[in-house]
Amino acid sequence: MKIFTKEYLVTSDQTAFAMGSGDLEVLATPALVAMMENCSKELLTGYLTAEQTSVGFSLELKHLAPSKVGAVIQVTAEITKQTERKVLFLIQAFQQEQLIGQALHQRVVVKKATFLKN
């Protein structure tokens, strides 16, 4: 299957405290979601035409461990199932060797112009 890996640096504006999703200076779950969606989007982009893009449809996430500001998070997205318009990903996020998050994510391929008309 198709796999893509990207590294992200945890910054102070990505903490639970800064984003309002918690009280601590650790990676916020919404920031982890953004990293995972970005990684899967980048993997899929190479297979789309210039008229197409993909949009997130669903995400089932487990945020397993905290990460402090300055931590490097390695996210790997793997396409596990693909139809003409729907793509399912298994995404894992690691801080060094520790699994800190895992998700099943579905994206839908759309035509940019048609999607923007809605």
Side-chain angles (χ1 to χ4, degrees), residues 72-117:
V72 175
I73 307 300
Q74 186 177 58
V75 179
T76 299
E78 176 182 2
I79 295 175
T80 60
K81 185 176 181 182
Q82 186 171 1
T83 64
E84 185 177 333
R85 293 190 58 226
K86 295 179 183 177
V87 184
L88 185 64
F89 299 85
L90 171 63
I91 307 170
Q92 295 183 310
F94 290 88
Q95 182 180 330
Q96 297 175 349
E97 288 81 36
Q98 182 181 12
L99 180 66
I100 64 153
Q102 186 167 328
L104 292 176
H105 178 45
Q106 185 174 349
R107 297 188 72 79
V108 177
V109 176
V110 297
K111 291 183 180 178
K112 294 176 187 177
T114 305
F115 187 79
L116 292 174
K117 286 182 182 178

Side-chain angles (χ1 to χ4, degrees), residues 5-87:
T5 300
K6 185 173 180 179
E7 287 188 349
Y8 300 86
L9 179 66
V10 178
T11 59
S12 60
D13 62 327
Q14 295 172 313
T15 66
F17 182 77
M19 296 187 84
S21 65
D23 299 326
L24 301 175
E25 296 286 339
V26 295
L27 179 64
T29 300
L32 179 60
V33 167
M35 290 174 183
M36 290 177 156
E37 282 209 67
N38 176 261
C39 188
S40 62
K41 176 198 69 87
E42 289 204 21
L43 168 57
L44 193 53
T45 296
Y47 299 96
L48 303 178
T49 67
E51 294 80 28
Q52 295 176 313
T53 190
S54 67
V55 295
F57 176 74
S58 67
L59 184 89
E60 182 180 326
L61 169 72
K62 293 180 183 176
H63 193 165
L64 303 168
S67 300
K68 295 180 182 178
V69 172
V72 175
I73 307 300
Q74 186 177 58
V75 179
T76 299
E78 176 182 2
I79 295 175
T80 60
K81 185 176 181 182
Q82 186 171 1
T83 64
E84 185 177 333
R85 293 190 58 226
K86 295 179 183 177
V87 184

